[in-house]
Short mmCIF file of all heavy atoms in Angstrom, two decimals:
data_model
loop_
_atom_site.label_atom_id
_atom_site.label_comp_id
_atom_site.label_asym_id
_atom_site.label_seq_id
_atom_site.Cartn_x
_atom_site.Cartn_y
_atom_site.Cartn_z
N TYR A 10 8.78 16.55 -5.77
CA TYR A 10 8.85 17.02 -4.39
C TYR A 10 9.24 15.91 -3.43
O TYR A 10 10.01 16.12 -2.50
CB TYR A 10 7.53 17.62 -3.95
CG TYR A 10 7.16 18.91 -4.69
CD1 TYR A 10 6.16 18.97 -5.57
CD2 TYR A 10 8.02 20.06 -4.56
CE1 TYR A 10 5.84 20.10 -6.25
CE2 TYR A 10 7.72 21.22 -5.23
CZ TYR A 10 6.67 21.27 -6.10
OH TYR A 10 6.35 22.40 -6.82
N LYS A 11 8.69 14.69 -3.68
CA LYS A 11 9.09 13.57 -2.86
C LYS A 11 10.56 13.27 -3.00
O LYS A 11 11.25 13.04 -1.98
CB LYS A 11 8.28 12.32 -3.26
CG LYS A 11 6.83 12.40 -2.94
CD LYS A 11 6.19 11.09 -3.36
CE LYS A 11 4.72 11.12 -3.36
NZ LYS A 11 4.14 9.92 -3.84
N GLN A 12 11.05 13.29 -4.22
CA GLN A 12 12.50 13.08 -4.46
C GLN A 12 13.35 14.14 -3.81
O GLN A 12 14.40 13.84 -3.31
CB GLN A 12 12.76 13.01 -5.96
CG GLN A 12 14.20 12.54 -6.29
CD GLN A 12 14.48 11.16 -5.72
OE1 GLN A 12 13.73 10.27 -5.82
NE2 GLN A 12 15.66 11.05 -5.12
N SER A 13 12.87 15.38 -3.78
CA SER A 13 13.65 16.40 -3.08
C SER A 13 13.79 16.16 -1.62
O SER A 13 14.84 16.45 -0.99
CB SER A 13 13.09 17.76 -3.39
OG SER A 13 11.84 17.95 -2.76
N LEU A 14 12.72 15.58 -0.97
CA LEU A 14 12.86 15.22 0.46
C LEU A 14 13.95 14.14 0.60
O LEU A 14 14.74 14.20 1.54
CB LEU A 14 11.53 14.63 0.96
CG LEU A 14 10.51 15.65 1.31
CD1 LEU A 14 9.19 14.90 1.65
CD2 LEU A 14 10.89 16.49 2.52
N VAL A 15 13.97 13.18 -0.28
CA VAL A 15 15.02 12.15 -0.22
C VAL A 15 16.40 12.72 -0.48
O VAL A 15 17.35 12.42 0.25
CB VAL A 15 14.67 10.95 -1.25
CG1 VAL A 15 15.82 10.00 -1.30
CG2 VAL A 15 13.38 10.33 -0.93
N ASP A 16 16.54 13.61 -1.50
CA ASP A 16 17.79 14.19 -1.85
C ASP A 16 18.33 15.09 -0.72
O ASP A 16 19.51 15.19 -0.48
CB ASP A 16 17.68 14.97 -3.07
CG ASP A 16 17.43 14.20 -4.36
OD1 ASP A 16 17.67 12.94 -4.21
OD2 ASP A 16 16.98 14.65 -5.36
N ALA A 17 17.40 15.70 0.07
CA ALA A 17 17.81 16.53 1.18
C ALA A 17 18.08 15.76 2.44
O ALA A 17 18.23 16.34 3.51
CB ALA A 17 16.71 17.61 1.43
N ASP A 18 18.10 14.44 2.31
CA ASP A 18 18.42 13.53 3.35
C ASP A 18 17.36 13.68 4.48
O ASP A 18 17.68 13.64 5.69
CB ASP A 18 19.81 13.73 3.88
CG ASP A 18 20.29 12.52 4.76
OD1 ASP A 18 19.80 11.42 4.44
OD2 ASP A 18 21.15 12.73 5.64
N CYS A 19 16.09 13.81 4.08
CA CYS A 19 15.02 13.95 5.04
C CYS A 19 13.75 13.15 4.58
O CYS A 19 12.68 13.68 4.39
CB CYS A 19 14.60 15.45 5.16
SG CYS A 19 13.41 15.74 6.38
N PRO A 20 13.95 11.88 4.38
CA PRO A 20 12.83 11.03 3.85
C PRO A 20 11.88 10.54 4.96
O PRO A 20 10.90 9.94 4.67
CB PRO A 20 13.59 9.80 3.30
CG PRO A 20 14.79 9.67 4.12
CD PRO A 20 15.20 11.04 4.45
N ASN A 21 12.22 10.83 6.20
CA ASN A 21 11.39 10.30 7.31
C ASN A 21 9.89 10.69 7.23
O ASN A 21 9.05 9.78 7.43
CB ASN A 21 11.99 10.70 8.65
CG ASN A 21 13.35 10.13 8.90
OD1 ASN A 21 13.66 9.15 8.27
ND2 ASN A 21 14.07 10.70 9.81
N PRO A 22 9.53 11.94 6.93
CA PRO A 22 8.08 12.24 6.84
C PRO A 22 7.46 11.41 5.71
O PRO A 22 6.30 10.98 5.88
CB PRO A 22 8.03 13.74 6.55
CG PRO A 22 9.38 14.31 6.95
CD PRO A 22 10.35 13.18 6.82
N LEU A 23 8.14 11.25 4.64
CA LEU A 23 7.62 10.51 3.51
C LEU A 23 7.46 9.03 3.86
O LEU A 23 6.47 8.40 3.52
CB LEU A 23 8.60 10.66 2.30
CG LEU A 23 8.17 10.12 0.96
CD1 LEU A 23 6.89 10.79 0.52
CD2 LEU A 23 9.22 10.37 -0.06
N ILE A 24 8.40 8.45 4.59
CA ILE A 24 8.36 7.06 5.00
C ILE A 24 7.18 6.87 6.00
O ILE A 24 6.36 5.92 5.82
CB ILE A 24 9.66 6.63 5.65
CG1 ILE A 24 10.80 6.58 4.62
CG2 ILE A 24 9.57 5.22 6.29
CD1 ILE A 24 12.19 6.46 5.19
N MET A 25 7.04 7.75 6.97
CA MET A 25 5.98 7.66 7.95
C MET A 25 4.55 7.75 7.30
O MET A 25 3.67 7.04 7.57
CB MET A 25 6.20 8.66 9.06
CG MET A 25 7.16 8.30 10.04
SD MET A 25 6.90 6.68 10.81
CE MET A 25 5.30 6.90 11.59
N ALA A 26 4.52 8.73 6.31
CA ALA A 26 3.26 8.93 5.62
C ALA A 26 2.87 7.70 4.84
O ALA A 26 1.71 7.22 4.88
CB ALA A 26 3.35 10.15 4.70
N ALA A 27 3.84 7.14 4.19
CA ALA A 27 3.61 5.86 3.37
C ALA A 27 3.12 4.74 4.29
O ALA A 27 2.23 4.00 3.99
CB ALA A 27 4.80 5.46 2.58
N ILE A 28 3.84 4.58 5.42
CA ILE A 28 3.48 3.46 6.33
C ILE A 28 2.07 3.67 6.90
O ILE A 28 1.25 2.77 6.96
CB ILE A 28 4.51 3.32 7.49
CG1 ILE A 28 5.83 2.82 6.87
CG2 ILE A 28 4.04 2.40 8.54
CD1 ILE A 28 6.99 2.81 7.82
N LEU A 29 1.72 4.89 7.34
CA LEU A 29 0.43 5.13 7.84
C LEU A 29 -0.69 4.99 6.84
O LEU A 29 -1.72 4.35 7.12
CB LEU A 29 0.35 6.55 8.41
CG LEU A 29 1.16 6.81 9.68
CD1 LEU A 29 1.11 8.29 10.04
CD2 LEU A 29 0.63 5.98 10.86
N LEU A 30 -0.44 5.43 5.62
CA LEU A 30 -1.40 5.25 4.53
C LEU A 30 -1.55 3.80 4.16
O LEU A 30 -2.69 3.28 3.92
CB LEU A 30 -1.06 6.11 3.37
CG LEU A 30 -2.13 6.22 2.29
CD1 LEU A 30 -3.38 6.70 2.85
CD2 LEU A 30 -1.65 7.13 1.16
N ALA A 31 -0.49 3.03 4.11
CA ALA A 31 -0.49 1.61 3.82
C ALA A 31 -1.32 0.89 4.88
O ALA A 31 -2.17 0.02 4.52
CB ALA A 31 0.92 1.03 3.77
N GLU A 32 -1.11 1.17 6.16
CA GLU A 32 -1.92 0.53 7.16
C GLU A 32 -3.37 0.88 7.03
O GLU A 32 -4.21 0.00 7.22
CB GLU A 32 -1.41 0.99 8.59
CG GLU A 32 -0.13 0.35 8.96
CD GLU A 32 0.29 0.56 10.39
OE1 GLU A 32 -0.58 0.99 11.17
OE2 GLU A 32 1.46 0.36 10.69
N PHE A 33 -3.68 2.12 6.72
CA PHE A 33 -5.11 2.49 6.50
C PHE A 33 -5.69 1.72 5.34
O PHE A 33 -6.80 1.18 5.43
CB PHE A 33 -5.20 4.03 6.26
CG PHE A 33 -6.63 4.39 5.93
CD1 PHE A 33 -7.58 4.50 6.91
CD2 PHE A 33 -6.97 4.69 4.58
CE1 PHE A 33 -8.89 4.82 6.57
CE2 PHE A 33 -8.28 5.02 4.25
CZ PHE A 33 -9.22 5.10 5.25
N GLN A 34 -4.93 1.56 4.26
CA GLN A 34 -5.43 0.82 3.06
C GLN A 34 -5.62 -0.61 3.34
O GLN A 34 -6.39 -1.34 2.76
CB GLN A 34 -4.53 1.10 1.92
CG GLN A 34 -4.69 2.46 1.26
CD GLN A 34 -3.93 2.69 0.03
OE1 GLN A 34 -3.16 1.88 -0.34
NE2 GLN A 34 -4.15 3.77 -0.59
N LEU A 35 -4.82 -1.16 4.28
CA LEU A 35 -5.01 -2.55 4.64
C LEU A 35 -6.28 -2.77 5.46
O LEU A 35 -6.93 -3.79 5.31
CB LEU A 35 -3.75 -3.04 5.47
CG LEU A 35 -2.51 -3.30 4.69
CD1 LEU A 35 -1.37 -3.62 5.59
CD2 LEU A 35 -2.69 -4.35 3.61
N LEU A 36 -6.63 -1.76 6.23
CA LEU A 36 -7.87 -1.80 7.02
C LEU A 36 -9.11 -1.41 6.16
O LEU A 36 -10.18 -1.91 6.39
CB LEU A 36 -7.79 -0.90 8.24
CG LEU A 36 -6.77 -1.30 9.26
CD1 LEU A 36 -6.66 -0.21 10.35
CD2 LEU A 36 -7.05 -2.68 9.91
N ALA A 37 -8.86 -0.46 5.24
CA ALA A 37 -10.03 0.03 4.47
C ALA A 37 -9.56 -0.01 2.98
O ALA A 37 -9.09 1.04 2.49
CB ALA A 37 -10.42 1.41 4.86
N PRO A 38 -9.60 -1.12 2.34
CA PRO A 38 -9.07 -1.28 0.95
C PRO A 38 -9.71 -0.38 -0.04
O PRO A 38 -10.86 0.08 0.16
CB PRO A 38 -9.29 -2.72 0.60
CG PRO A 38 -9.73 -3.43 1.88
CD PRO A 38 -10.20 -2.39 2.82
N SER A 39 -9.03 -0.12 -1.11
CA SER A 39 -9.59 0.73 -2.19
C SER A 39 -10.68 -0.04 -2.89
O SER A 39 -10.78 -1.25 -2.83
CB SER A 39 -8.49 1.06 -3.19
OG SER A 39 -8.15 -0.14 -3.94
N TRP A 40 -11.55 0.71 -3.66
CA TRP A 40 -12.59 0.13 -4.28
C TRP A 40 -12.21 -0.94 -5.36
O TRP A 40 -12.73 -1.95 -5.52
CB TRP A 40 -13.55 1.18 -4.99
CG TRP A 40 -14.37 1.91 -3.92
CD1 TRP A 40 -14.21 3.28 -3.64
CD2 TRP A 40 -15.35 1.43 -3.08
NE1 TRP A 40 -15.05 3.63 -2.61
CE2 TRP A 40 -15.84 2.49 -2.30
CE3 TRP A 40 -15.99 0.22 -2.91
CZ2 TRP A 40 -16.87 2.34 -1.37
CZ3 TRP A 40 -16.99 0.05 -1.97
CH2 TRP A 40 -17.42 1.12 -1.22
N ALA A 41 -11.15 -0.57 -6.04
CA ALA A 41 -10.59 -1.44 -7.05
C ALA A 41 -10.15 -2.78 -6.50
O ALA A 41 -10.45 -3.85 -7.03
CB ALA A 41 -9.44 -0.82 -7.81
N ASP A 42 -9.49 -2.76 -5.30
CA ASP A 42 -9.09 -3.98 -4.65
C ASP A 42 -10.30 -4.81 -4.19
O ASP A 42 -10.30 -6.01 -4.27
CB ASP A 42 -8.18 -3.70 -3.49
CG ASP A 42 -6.83 -3.18 -3.94
OD1 ASP A 42 -6.43 -3.25 -5.08
OD2 ASP A 42 -6.02 -2.69 -3.03
N LEU A 43 -11.27 -4.10 -3.61
CA LEU A 43 -12.51 -4.77 -3.17
C LEU A 43 -13.23 -5.46 -4.37
O LEU A 43 -13.68 -6.58 -4.28
CB LEU A 43 -13.43 -3.79 -2.50
CG LEU A 43 -13.00 -3.42 -1.03
CD1 LEU A 43 -13.87 -2.28 -0.53
CD2 LEU A 43 -13.06 -4.60 -0.10
N ASP A 44 -13.33 -4.75 -5.46
CA ASP A 44 -13.97 -5.28 -6.66
C ASP A 44 -13.28 -6.61 -7.10
O ASP A 44 -13.90 -7.54 -7.43
CB ASP A 44 -14.07 -4.33 -7.79
CG ASP A 44 -14.98 -3.16 -7.52
OD1 ASP A 44 -15.94 -3.36 -6.61
OD2 ASP A 44 -14.92 -2.15 -8.21
#
Side-chain angles (χ1 to χ4, degrees):
Y10 293 113
K11 290 181 193 177
Q12 188 59 46
S13 66
L14 281 172
V15 174
D16 293 343
D18 199 26
C19 186
N21 295 341
L23 190 58
I24 294 167
M25 283 304 299
I28 290 172
L29 290 173
L30 190 55
E32 286 187 17
F33 175 76
Q34 286 185 351
L35 289 174
L36 295 173
S39 69
W40 287 112
D42 289 350
L43 284 172
D44 287 343

